Amino acid sequence: MKAALKAHTIFMFIKTFCSSQICVSDSDENYCFCFDIDDTLIQTNLANFLAYQKAIFEVKGALINPTLLKDRCDKGLLTAFKLSKQKNEYIKVLKDRYFRSFLSFTKINNLMLCFMQILQKQYKVILVTSAKQQRIETLIKYHKLENLPTIFYNLQGNKYKNCLEKFSLNAKFMMIFEDNDKEIKDAQKAGICDIIKNLRDKNGKLL
């Protein structure tokens, strides 16, 4: 009973940060919460930046501008270098390899972790990611995370639309926690209206 009350309290607290009117009663246990992993549950942007910086320098001999840390640092930054498809793929391979050496620069978002752990005692919770499974498992092992909810590994396309279809969920009864603008737009296209966005300060750090 205490766990349910605590989850209900967190639900009410989160509602105050939601940009839309939540479409379900607070006690509805069919409501689902989806948490993105990269830069939502675990802060990985700096580690990604350092891994890409090392990989790009090795292939092209160029350094990435640190100002990119203010945005999400992912494979999209490779478009600025206008490299061949073969070199882009090689950089991605190197980046995945070097990422392991920068795991100490990743950090748990304790607020999100707390929300997730409390909510999963009463509601359905899913971790949603488009990252490679091996990479996510490496992060989970490094941070010694246990008793995690189901993880949905999206292979391609709209990860929220695919998650809804995979688990036969109703978009009206789902809230997502996400940091990426493109992924948020995908969620909206999938019919999800309850969205909590992770905000960054002027230096690119998650709030």
Side-chain angles (χ1 to χ4, degrees), residues 2 19 47 50 81 91 102 125 163 170 173 176 184 193 204:
K2 287 184 178 180
S19 58
L50 294 171
F81 292 96
I91 287 174
F102 295 114
V125 175
C163 180
N170 187 333
F173 299 96
I176 70 164
I184 287 174
C193 58

Side-chain angles (χ1 to χ4, degrees), residues 8 14 34 52 59 61 68-69 99 111-112 116 144 169 182 185 193:
H8 174 79
I14 291 172
C34 286
Y52 268 118
V59 173
L68 287 173
L69 279 173
F99 182 80
L111 180 62
M112 286 295 154
M116 184 198 76
K144 298 181 174 61
L169 299 170
K182 179 183 179 302
K185 288 180 180 178
C193 58

Side-chain angles (χ1 to χ4, degrees), residues 4 51 59 83 89 93 99 113 117 128 176 187 192 194 198 202:
V59 173
L83 300 174
E89 291 304 315
V93 171
F99 182 80
L113 181 62
Q117 290 174 334
V128 183
I176 70 164
I192 300 169
D194 300 336
N198 285 355
K202 63 181 180 180

Side-chain angles (χ1 to χ4, degrees), residues 6-24:
K6 200 169 185 180
H8 174 79
T9 301
I10 290 295
F11 186 101
M12 296 296 291
F13 174 75
I14 291 172
K15 280 182 68 173
T16 65
F17 292 92
C18 195
S19 58
S20 64
Q21 182 64 42
I22 290 181
C23 311
V24 64

